[in-house]
Amino acid sequence: MINHSSKIIITGGLGYIGSHTVVELQSKGFEIVIVDDLSNSSIEVLDGLKNIIGKNIAFENIDLKKPDLVIDLFKRHSDLTGVVHFAASKAVGESVTNPLDYYENNIYSLVNVLKALKKLNKSINFIFSSSCTVYGQAKILPITEKESIKKAESPYGNTKQICEEIITDTVSSSKNLKAISLRYFNPIGAHESSEIGELPLGIPQNLVPFITQTGAGIRSELIVFGDDYPTIDGTCIRDYIHVVDLAKAHTAALISMINSTHSKNYEYYNIGTGKGTSVLEAITSFEKVSKTKLKYKIGSRRVGDIISAFADTSKANKQLNWTAEFSLDQAMASAWKWQKKISK
Ligand code: NAD
Ligand code: WQD
């Protein structure tokens, strides 16, 4: 059973998905310590969290690439029950330009954390942020966890595959570590309070922030990357999941490990809605919830794009007792509300 004072370290907890997960875990009574080096987030996120939660959350500004700092961090929090490891660099295009920075940050950070946990020599529950990118273009849709892992399209995607393998090997050599990798599909939207949300730096690479910035007049128009794919309307299909549903999957995963509801020490789960949405359907949803006509035009295909990816979530539904609840329109409305707040 959950000890309601269980301490959980959330690395990358000031980032987009991490901050929403802080809210969900805190609401279940977990004691949270956020660790973040602010390399892709802002200290103001702590204020947003405080406004939602009603109290300060412990925060440590630490770069997880630095092994001595990580050992010291975990020594000081040796009473912890679990770690949710979000901290990583995530821009696919940047990883192609600067592959070594991506291997360095994403892999060293994970290795440093796992080494420090091993030194503690106590039972720990570990959750890793993986990605549907490990499947590449799947042969069978919806994608189950039985789908084969494809050669990664980018150094970023490769770090997720390597990190999953590092976790597999570490768990099998450890008596104390239980781990779950959550393979996220496409997180979108923001907390209903609009106190926290996605803060893309520069020109957004992902569809929904690009749509909302275009709706807000920050971008002149959205280019739809190709309408000649073999899909219902010719545009690519993705599984867009409300970030709050995604955050709740972490709570469910942590509780399942704490309560030992499954037998394996390392498991991985697809976390999506199970529903495929085309780019044009996403635009229609935005226009409906925002009552705004979106300026867009059809452009050429983006190199490396997967045609269609959406999750079979039955493993997570059954084993984690978790299901995504928000609709695309609800997620899109929350993304729009957040955009209007931050572009004021
Ligand atoms: P994000 O960039 O908003 O959050 C990551 C956080 O980690 C940031 O606050 C950053 O400052 C911090 N960080 C990075 N390197 C660090 C280091 N060395 N030490 C300490 N802190 C560090 O990203 P996000 O969208 O919230 O993604 C969280 C995780 O989920 C990442 O691992 C990402 O690869 C994975 N993921 C994201 C998506 C997505 O579409 N957003 C999809 C699949 C998987
Ligand atoms: C969605 C759809 C685009 C922008 C990325 C990462 C992947 C994973 C999930 C982390 C696609 C189209 C987009 C635009 C467009 N992240 N699009 N015009 O492709 O699933 O992948 O996020 O692990 O690693 O690569 O998401 O939001 O970039 O694109 O037409 O300006 O929107 O072609 O079909 P994607 P996305």
Side-chain angles (χ1 to χ4, degrees):
M1 284 293 123
I2 312 167
N3 168 355
H4 279 259
S5 59
S6 295
K7 184 188 274 187
I8 308 296
I9 301 239
I10 305 196
T11 77
L14 292 185
Y16 174 43
I17 308 168
S19 56
H20 289 83
T21 303
V22 168
V23 173
E24 295 308 318
L25 283 177
Q26 206 276 338
S27 77
K28 293 284 180 219
F30 289 102
E31 181 193 343
I32 306 298
V33 178
I34 295 175
V35 178
D36 203 300
D37 67 353
L38 300 171
S39 55
N40 196 36
S41 52
S42 146
I43 194 71
E44 276 93 61
V45 176
L46 271 181
D47 299 331
L49 287 171
K50 187 178 175 188
N51 291 342
I52 297 171
I53 290 165
K55 62 173 192 181
N56 283 320
I57 296 282
F59 169 60
E60 303 249 11
N61 184 342
I62 286 176
D63 178 353
L64 296 165
K65 293 196 290 303
K66 302 197 170 140
D68 296 348
L69 296 185
V70 178
I71 300 248
D72 177 63
L73 166 81
F74 283 100
K75 259 196 210 149
R76 286 186 286 106
H77 295 290
S78 60
D79 55 338
L80 85 173
T81 306
V83 176
V84 189
H85 183 58
F86 292 101
S89 307
K90 65 162 182 178
V92 176
E94 189 182 60
S95 81
V96 176
T97 321
N98 303 322
L100 291 176
D101 290 348
Y102 272 66
Y103 288 113
E104 181 183 37
N105 194 27
N106 295 6
I107 292 170
Y108 279 13
S109 297
L110 173 72
V111 169
N112 289 339
V113 170
L114 292 176
K115 274 192 153 182
L117 292 178
K118 200 170 173 188
K119 266 191 190 290
L120 293 183
N121 201 21
K122 63 172 289 198
S123 292
I124 307 280
N125 302 295
F126 186 84
I127 299 183
F128 175 68
S129 297
S130 191
S131 168
C132 64
T133 193
V134 301
Y135 298 119
Q137 181 57 65
K139 291 192 190 77
I140 301 171
L141 293 165
I143 303 172
T144 71
E145 292 81 356
K146 293 197 176 84
E147 178 67 36
S148 60
I149 304 296
K150 306 291 176 323
K151 184 174 163 29
E153 293 275 354
S154 68
Y156 166 77
N158 203 20
T159 68
K160 292 297 171 196
Q161 298 188 6
I162 295 169
C163 286
E164 285 201 12
E165 287 175 357
I166 290 171
I167 295 167
T168 306
D169 294 341
T170 310
V171 169
S172 33
S173 71
S174 162
K175 289 190 205 75
N176 292 320
L177 190 67
K178 276 196 259 176
I180 286 180
S181 285
L182 298 179
R183 294 175 176 162
Y184 313 154
F185 280 65
N186 294 62
I188 63 165
H191 190 264
E192 59 174 355
S193 63
S194 292
E195 291 286 350
I196 52 173
E198 192 169 7
L199 287 165
L201 285 177
I203 302 173
Q205 307 302 308
N206 295 114
L207 179 66
V208 172
F210 207 107
I211 288 179
T212 57
Q213 288 196 7
T214 307
I218 300 167
R219 312 270 153 223
S220 55
E221 66 181 356
L222 169 81
I223 309 292
V224 174
F225 297 142
D227 70 346
D228 57 351
Y229 287 101
T231 62
I232 41 161
D233 57 22
T235 64
C236 293
I237 308 279
R238 296 290 184 274
D239 185 338
Y240 298 98
I241 175 170
H242 195 307
V243 66
V244 171
D245 275 331
L246 175 56
K248 286 179 177 166
H250 296 77
T251 317
L254 203 50
I255 291 173
S256 83
M257 280 193 282
I258 291 171
N259 293 343
S260 294
T261 54
H262 46 77
S263 54
K264 289 193 196 152
N265 282 344
Y266 178 44
E267 273 290 5
Y268 38 90
Y269 296 96
N270 289 341
I271 304 295
T273 64
K275 193 176 171 298
T277 299
S278 74
V279 178
L280 293 180
E281 285 171 334
I283 292 172
T284 304
S285 166
F286 171 79
E287 290 182 330
K288 180 172 141 199
V289 301
S290 68
K291 302 184 179 66
T292 307
K293 197 94 192 93
L294 191 77
K295 285 191 197 141
Y296 72 90
K297 72 172 182 214
I298 307 296
S300 47
R301 290 181 174 198
R302 179 171 70 176
V303 176
D305 250 337
I306 300 300
I307 303 168
S308 188
F310 53 100
D312 180 325
T313 59
S314 31
K315 187 175 171 190
N317 301 154
K318 280 191 211 110
Q319 294 186 14
L320 302 181
N321 194 21
W322 167 90
T323 304
E325 285 168 358
F326 289 103
S327 66
L328 174 68
D329 287 350
Q330 287 172 312
M332 196 64 86
S334 73
W336 179 231
K337 190 174 161 199
W338 167 247
Q339 181 67 58
K340 283 189 293 184
K341 181 187 164 180
I342 58 174
S343 45
K344 257 183 203 158

